[in-house]
Amino acid sequence: MQLHAGVALPPDVVREALNVVPELVASRAPAPPEPPAQGLLSRLLGRRPAEVPVEVHAPVVSLPPAPPPVFIRMAKFGNVTADDAAALASAYEAAAATWSVPVLRVSRIRVTEEAPYDVMVELEGDVGALKDIYRNVYEVAQEQRFFLDRRGFRSEVSLGPVADVEDPASIAGAEVAHLGRLWSPSHLTLLRLSYNAGANFSEYASIELGDAAQEMGARTLA
């Protein structure tokens, strides 16, 4: 099986971020045209300029009825046997309870500069603790003889490409500040990737994290 590891964003945090997408799109909407300048004769005669109706088409963005599962990617293990996957899950269950749990929130939402113009959410808060989880995931994998391609950690995640926008390139690079609610991840999820009717992830194992979030939240994001 193809196995990945990720930390899930709560569905209501994803929904809250998706609700900001229309504002993000509207930030790049063209301004309505200015009315034509009044001629000299009309100004001398005191004529009021004729009102020209202006049609402003607000961008329409449809949102999914339920937010899709969104994960902060931690690791990609590649092809794993059933026995190795079970051993890996057991190793994470033994280690993850000692990890510090971050308190996070969405701080900014933006569109990538290039196709497929993904909507990205940037996270703030205990980003250092989130990075520690990323590091711990790799350390446990190495102990289980998985030698992974360690890419740079990024405290942001994609919600997927912009949908139902006539010209997605017109909003490339658009961004808005958005301070979302505080949240903490409760689990590290091991995900099985299958290719039935496209690439799909399903949960292989849910690894409970520690319970330090209650103690950390108030002071880190006050």
Side-chain angles (χ1 to χ4, degrees), residues 62-216:
S62 65
L63 300 177
V70 174
F71 292 88
I72 305 168
R73 179 174 166 178
M74 293 284 148
K76 178 181 178 181
F77 301 99
N79 288 318
V80 179
T81 67
D83 288 344
D84 286 344
L88 191 63
S90 295
Y92 281 125
E93 287 173 355
T98 66
W99 299 348
S100 295
V101 179
V103 178
L104 305 164
R105 68 181 172 195
V106 174
S107 62
R108 183 171 296 275
I109 302 174
R110 65 180 179 85
V111 178
T112 56
E113 295 280 356
E114 299 178 353
Y117 306 110
D118 281 349
V119 177
M120 307 294 296
V121 294
E122 298 179 7
L123 303 174
E124 71 171 20
D126 298 321
V127 174
L130 184 63
K131 188 174 182 178
D132 286 342
I133 292 177
Y134 172 83
R135 176 179 53 80
N136 291 330
V137 165
Y138 275 80
E139 289 177 352
V140 171
Q142 286 181 334
E143 292 170 358
Q144 297 298 309
R145 297 185 178 278
F146 286 90
F147 299 100
L148 309 179
D149 178 13
R150 184 181 294 218
R151 300 182 183 275
F153 172 79
R154 302 179 68 182
S155 57
E156 63 178 3
V157 63
S158 171
L159 300 183
V162 175
D164 299 323
V165 176
E166 185 175 347
D167 180 16
S170 66
I171 60 170
E175 61 178 52
V176 293
H178 171 72
L179 291 182
R181 72 168 184 83
L182 303 180
W183 62 277
S184 292
S186 59
H187 295 82
L188 173 74
T189 306
L190 297 184
L191 298 156
R192 180 193 292 114
L193 175 62
S194 62
Y195 292 95
N196 297 329
N200 295 291
F201 286 99
S202 59
E203 183 180 288
Y204 172 78
S206 181
I207 314 298
E208 188 172 351
L209 299 176
D211 57 0
Q214 294 291 334
E215 301 172 8
M216 298 171 64

